[in-house]
Amino acid sequence: MVITRTRRGYHRASACRRRAAVGSLFACLLIASAPATSQVPIQELDAIVAVVNDDVVVRSELDTEIDLILPQMQKAGTAAPPRPQLEKQVLDRLILKRLQAQRARDLGIQVEEATLNEALTNIAQRNGLSLEELQATLEAGGIRFADFREDTRSQIVTSRLQNQEVVNKIQITDQEIDRFLERESSRLIEREQVRLQHILIALPENATPAQVQAAEAEAARLVTRLRGGEDFARVAAAESDGRNALQGGDLGWFEMGAVPSLVSELAFTMAEGEISDPLSSPSGYHIIKLNEIKAATPDDVVQTNARHILIRTNELVSDDDAKRRLEQLRMRILGGEDFATLARSNSDDTGSALKGGDLGWVNPGDTVPDFEEAMNALPPNGVSEPFQSPFGWHIVQVIERRNQDKEGEFMRLKAREALQRRKAEEATEEWLRQLRDEAYVEVRLDEDAQL
C-alpha cells in the first residue's frame, strides 16, 4: 500500500491504482507526442500537479485557473499572494472542483447548452454588455472565452450538485422558526446585517495533539499580525485554507439570523473592524473580522391590499388602445360602477380577474417597480391613472394598508430563509470536507517545481 499526504490528512491507495491513473495518462500523452520519424522533436509533457482519485490535474489547468482568478482578485482589490502560495490555494480549489465534477458525473448531472448560454447572457447583461462584447472584453484581458464558458458550466454543475446533495435535504420546522423569532428577532432589529471576513487554519480529520497545537499557534500568530495592522485580505489570500481565501476571505453580507453558528454570538457584540480570537471547530481554527455593519430600520413592514385591471398589448391592441380602454374603465369606476365586476369582464390577468382583480396582501418587492410605485402613490380607495409595466397597461386600486409586525407572516418567511441559509452553509462545508477526506488525493506541486 502507498500512503500519500493530503491537505486534510493521510489517505491509503493501492500502488496499482495510482499507477493506473497516472500511467494511462502518460500513455496517451506519449502516443500523442511520439515522433512519426526520428527527425520530429519530442514535445514536452504537461506536468501532473495533483492526482485526484482516478483523474489528474495538470499544470496547464492550474495556470488557466490562475489566469481566470487573478482579474477577479484585482477587481475586488485583493493583492495576490506570492506565486507558490497562490498556486497552492488555486490547486486546492481545483481539487475540490474536480471531486465535485466526479460526483456530479456519477449522478448524471449535466448542463444543457441553452441553460449555459442563458447564464452567459445574464453575466453579460449584469455588466452592461452584449454576449459578443463580453467575449471581446475577456479576450482583450487575456482570458479565452472558451475557458470562461467552461468555468461557468462548472459553476452551474457545482450549484446543482450542492443543491441535490445538501441544500434540498435541509428541512426547517415551524418550531425552529418559532424559537428563532423568540430568541433573535428583537436583536435583528438592532443590527440587521454584518459583512464578515474569514481565515481558516485547517486540521485533518482525527488530527493529532501536535497538529492541533501547531494550528492553534499559527492562528494566534495571524491574529497578532492582523491586530498589528496587516491587511486582512492580503493575509487571507496568502494563509487561509478557507474556500474564500482568494477573495480576501470575504464571506459577504449576512442577515443576523443567517450568520454561521460558530460566530453568531460574536456578530452581535463585535465592533466594526474588530478581529476575533481564534475560534476552534472540527475543521480547524477560524479568525473572523467584522468588516461592516448595517443597522436595521425599526419600521414595521407596510402591506397593501390591492386589486388591478390589466390590458396586454399585442398585434391587435396598441399601447394607445390599452391606455384608452383603461381610462374609460377608470371613469366608470369613479362614476360608481363596481371595480371587481369590471375586472372580471375586462382584465387580461386571468389569475386575479376571477377574484375581481384582487391581488391580496402585497409585501414590498412582491411586484415590479413600476407597479409598486403607482400603488404606493395611492391613498386607500384611490384608483390610479393608467400606467405601463413589463406586463402591459394597468389601473390599480388600493383597498387598505396595514403594518405587519415582526411576528407576522413576512417575518416568518425571512426567518425561514435565514435558517435555510445558515444550515446550508454549515452543511456544505461539512459535505466538502467529507468529500475531500474520502478521496485519494496526491499533491505534486513540489515535484512539478523541480522539472
Side-chain angles (χ1 to χ4, degrees):
M1 303 293 288
V2 176
I3 301 176
T4 58
R5 189 177 188 278
T6 73
R7 288 286 307 276
R8 295 195 181 276
Y10 292 85
H11 296 277
R12 292 177 178 268
S14 67
C16 62
R17 178 186 177 190
R18 185 179 66 170
R19 285 195 297 268
V22 180
S24 60
L25 179 73
F26 269 116
C28 294
L29 291 173
L30 287 170
I31 291 171
S33 60
T37 68
S38 58
Q39 280 74 33
V40 179
I42 297 177
Q43 298 178 0
E44 184 178 351
L45 299 180
D46 199 350
I48 295 172
V49 293
V51 180
V52 185
N53 289 325
D54 293 327
D55 201 353
V56 296
V57 180
V58 294
R59 164 57 63 178
S60 62
E61 293 178 87
L62 178 60
D63 291 340
T64 297
E65 188 77 3
I66 290 173
D67 289 341
L68 286 170
I69 287 171
L70 283 174
Q72 298 173 17
M73 297 180 68
Q74 184 177 9
K75 183 177 179 181
T78 303
R83 183 75 182 197
Q85 293 171 319
L86 179 63
E87 289 185 351
K88 176 172 170 288
Q89 295 278 7
V90 175
L91 183 57
D92 277 350
R93 178 167 159 168
L94 271 176
I95 289 169
L96 275 180
K97 287 175 67 175
R98 187 59 54 85
L99 288 171
Q100 291 177 90
Q102 292 170 359
R103 179 65 176 161
R105 185 175 60 247
D106 292 342
L107 295 174
I109 297 174
Q110 297 178 341
V111 177
E112 306 80 8
E113 288 300 307
T115 301
L116 178 58
N117 290 334
E118 182 180 355
L120 291 167
T121 301
N122 290 337
I123 293 171
Q125 290 176 347
R126 286 198 300 270
N127 289 276
L129 303 170
S130 67
L131 192 56
E132 294 75 15
E133 290 170 335
L134 174 64
Q135 180 173 351
T137 301
L138 289 170
E139 292 182 348
I143 298 174
R144 292 197 323 139
F145 185 69
D147 294 334
F148 183 82
R149 180 183 177 87
E150 290 310 305
D151 186 66
T152 304
R153 186 196 301 274
S154 174
Q155 290 179 39
I156 298 172
V157 168
T158 298
S159 177
R160 289 183 174 181
L161 173 67
Q162 291 182 2
N163 283 335
Q164 180 172 322
E165 293 279 88
V166 182
V167 178
N168 293 343
K169 297 178 181 178
I170 294 172
Q171 297 183 346
I172 309 295
T173 66
D174 289 339
Q175 291 75 19
E176 287 179 294
I177 294 173
D178 292 338
R179 288 194 297 270
F180 173 86
L181 291 171
E182 180 181 356
R183 185 178 64 249
E184 301 188 46
S185 62
S186 61
R187 295 197 291 180
L188 277 171
I189 295 175
E190 299 166 7
R191 186 179 287 199
E192 185 177 36
Q193 294 182 6
V194 291
R195 186 173 185 178
L196 304 177
Q197 285 178 276
H198 171 247
I199 291 173
L200 169 66
I201 305 301
L203 282 172
E205 195 172 22
N206 302 319
T208 65
Q211 289 173 316
V212 173
Q213 185 176 7
E216 184 179 15
E218 175 62 17
R221 282 193 293 271
L222 292 181
V223 168
T224 300
R225 289 169 54 187
L226 293 166
R227 290 176 177 171
E230 288 198 40
D231 180 70
F232 194 102
R234 186 185 296 272
V235 174
E239 307 289 348
S240 177
D241 297 317
R243 283 189 294 153
N244 300 80
L246 295 176
Q247 287 77 47
D250 187 7
L251 298 179
W253 286 98
F254 289 86
E255 291 185 3
M256 296 305 295
V259 173
S261 56
L262 181 69
V263 294
S264 59
E265 293 298 323
L266 286 176
F268 287 106
T269 57
M270 288 175 66
E272 195 170 82
E274 185 177 351
I275 294 165
S276 73
D277 290 327
L279 305 171
S280 176
S281 83
S283 59
Y285 284 89
H286 307 258
I287 303 167
I288 298 295
K289 178 181 178 181
L290 201 159
N291 208 340
E292 296 179 69
I293 295 172
K294 286 183 181 177
T297 59
D299 299 334
D300 292 336
V301 176
V302 178
Q303 294 182 314
T304 303
N305 187 4
R307 55 189 177 183
H308 82 133
I309 297 173
L310 168 68
I311 305 296
R312 300 185 191 276
T313 56
N314 52 44
E315 294 83 358
L316 301 177
V317 181
S318 67
D319 287 335
D320 288 340
D321 293 335
K323 184 177 180 182
R324 186 164 47 251
R325 282 182 58 188
L326 289 171
E327 286 172 343
Q328 293 170 354
L329 290 171
R330 180 174 184 271
M331 293 304 296
R332 292 169 65 182
I333 292 166
L334 296 178
E337 292 192 47
D338 182 54
F339 191 107
T341 300
L342 293 175
R344 290 188 187 98
S345 58
N346 290 278
S347 180
D348 290 334
D349 180 5
T350 54
S352 67
L354 296 173
K355 299 180 288 185
D358 187 14
L359 297 172
W361 288 102
V362 180
N363 292 309
D366 283 352
T367 63
V368 294
D370 296 320
F371 192 97
E372 185 167 323
E373 182 180 354
M375 180 180 67
N376 289 345
L378 292 171
N381 298 315
V383 181
S384 73
E385 297 281 351
F387 64 93
Q388 191 175 23
S389 84
F391 300 102
W393 285 83
H394 312 252
I395 55 173
V396 60
Q397 181 183 42
V398 170
I399 302 171
E400 60 177 316
R401 288 193 174 93
R402 70 183 182 188
N403 289 336
Q404 184 76 349
D405 65 26
K406 61 182 181 294
E407 299 298 332
E409 182 180 348
F410 181 74
M411 288 304 293
R412 290 186 69 82
L413 178 61
K414 291 190 69 175
R416 181 180 294 276
E417 291 172 349
L419 286 167
Q420 177 83 10
R421 182 179 172 186
R422 175 188 289 180
K423 285 189 173 185
E425 181 73 19
E426 295 171 351
T428 300
E429 286 288 348
E430 176 61 23
W431 176 76
L432 286 171
R433 189 167 72 90
Q434 291 180 359
L435 197 66
R436 175 74 186 254
D437 286 340
E438 293 169 0
Y440 171 76
V441 177
E442 182 182 353
V443 176
R444 295 187 174 184
L445 270 179
D446 292 340
E447 296 177 20
D448 173 60
Q450 296 171 7
L451 296 179

